[in-house]
Amino acid sequence: MDTSRLAQSPLGQRSEGADHYEPDLLFPIARADTRAGYGWPQAPYGADIWNAYELSWLNAKGRPVVAMGRFTVPADSTHLIESKSLKLYLNSFSNERFEYAEIVQQRIRTDLSRACGKPVHIEILSVRPAFELSCAPLRGTCIDDQDIDFEPVKAHTPEALQVADRAPFVRETLVTELMKSNCPVTGQPDWASVQIQYAGPRLDHAGLLKYIVSLRESREFHELCVEKIYGEIMARCAPEELLVYARYTRRGGLDINPWRANTQPKDISQTRTLRQ
């Protein structure tokens, strides 16, 4: 991954918040730069789903309004948004007056779509919905309790990915809570739950878990981690269908939940995990 441009981002630097709406706070990063040097297959379908828990502005009379936002960035957009810059950008709304929430929604849609190079879907959500928002683990068979030995993590090990001996064709959904990676700039840890849905030769569960654990010292953005998992499973195990979905714990009032697949899924769950 080419990290040269990241030195100009707000990550790891002292940043002053703006006291007025400021779209130029957004810091786009070319996806081509994050993928530089990697040769794994790219997924034809995918998106990065951001949840923003600290969104506020003033109504026409100056009273504060608080809300949540959900922003869905297509994986084939030319750019992704650096997370701290998105936080600073959203905070710049807090002292601005808007008559309607729809105006805020349209302003965010315009700014993020311009920065990402493709239309971004924007939802503004009430912090007091009429229905109860639940939390639940990702659906699937958890592979974390296998009684196997792990070597000290020094580098990620894609060779751990294997199909089981005499593997039949199966369709299953596997889940791990043990995903950890690290910010490529600050080195701060990022924690996630990962769901892997596939159809094809049966994956070796022990090897898959060893592979996930081997990513603990990786220094990459959330989006690239999911692309790496997708690409290396596809390259080494060749399932006919594959979807990789990660739900990361929040940082700075934001969580990022990327998914990548080789077929269009019917649904991507928006249920928060217990750690979110």
Side-chain angles (χ1 to χ4, degrees):
M1 181 173 121
D2 182 358
T3 59
S4 56
R5 177 164 153 72
L6 294 181
Q8 305 168 36
S9 79
L11 268 176
Q13 302 183 33
R14 181 182 176 86
S15 302
E16 297 294 336
D19 59 2
H20 60 279
Y21 163 70
E22 182 50 80
D24 288 342
L25 288 168
L26 290 169
F27 189 87
I29 298 171
R31 290 190 189 270
D33 290 345
T34 69
R35 296 164 176 161
Y38 297 127
W40 55 69
Q42 290 297 320
Y45 301 96
D48 308 323
I49 304 167
W50 296 69
N51 290 308
Y53 300 97
E54 300 172 2
L55 178 58
S56 181
W57 62 91
L58 306 179
N59 70 7
K61 295 183 177 181
R63 177 178 61 80
V65 178
V66 295
M68 297 183 296
R70 181 180 296 145
F71 317 139
T72 303
V73 182
D76 60 353
S77 63
T78 58
H79 290 71
L80 54 84
I81 302 297
E82 186 276 308
S83 60
K84 185 175 179 182
S85 78
L86 179 57
K87 174 184 173 64
L88 294 172
Y89 162 75
L90 294 176
N91 286 346
S92 78
F93 282 83
S94 61
N95 289 321
E96 294 286 331
R97 296 191 182 208
F98 299 93
E99 190 168 0
Y100 304 108
E102 290 78 9
I103 300 174
V104 177
Q105 182 181 29
Q106 182 56 51
R107 190 75 59 88
I108 296 174
R109 178 185 297 115
T110 298
D111 294 339
L112 293 189
S113 298
R114 181 182 296 118
C116 292
K118 198 156 190 177
V120 175
H121 181 66
I122 306 297
E123 299 170 77
I124 303 296
L125 308 172
S126 171
V127 298
R128 296 182 64 84
F131 54 90
E132 183 177 350
L133 293 175
S134 61
C135 295
L138 287 169
R139 296 188 300 272
T141 301
C142 185
I143 62 173
D144 295 346
D145 292 333
Q146 300 176 79
D147 186 17
I148 54 180
D149 293 327
F150 292 88
E151 298 294 328
V153 176
K154 296 180 181 179
H156 96 283
T157 55
E159 61 273 15
L161 293 168
Q162 302 178 47
V163 296
D165 291 339
R166 298 181 298 279
F169 184 97
V170 299
R171 185 181 297 274
E172 64 179 349
T173 300
L174 306 176
V175 172
T176 176
E177 307 288 348
L178 303 186
M179 178 66 189
K180 172 188 173 288
S181 56
N182 304 279
C183 173
V185 177
T186 66
Q188 292 296 308
D190 297 315
W191 306 90
S193 304
V194 177
Q195 181 186 68
I196 298 168
Q197 302 179 36
Y198 76 97
R202 184 178 183 276
L203 298 182
D204 177 73
H205 292 189
L208 177 60
L209 184 60
K210 287 183 176 182
Y211 167 74
I212 294 293
V213 171
S214 78
L215 297 171
R216 289 175 70 84
E217 299 305 317
S218 296
R219 296 184 63 141
E220 287 154 341
F221 289 123
H222 302 29
E223 299 91 336
L224 194 67
C225 287
V226 171
E227 291 184 0
K228 173 185 282 189
I229 296 170
Y230 170 91
E232 292 185 328
I233 292 176
M234 186 62 73
R236 298 191 64 87
C237 302
E240 291 190 13
E241 298 177 20
L242 177 63
L243 181 146
V244 177
Y245 182 30
R247 293 196 65 93
Y248 277 86
T249 59
R250 75 182 73 171
R251 185 189 295 177
L254 298 166
D255 64 43
I256 311 173
N257 308 282
W259 65 270
R260 302 291 186 269
N262 68 338
T263 59
Q264 181 65 58
K266 294 181 180 178
D267 179 58
I268 296 293
S269 172
Q270 299 300 330
T271 302
R272 286 182 291 172
T273 66
L274 299 177
R275 291 188 292 171
Q276 291 183 308

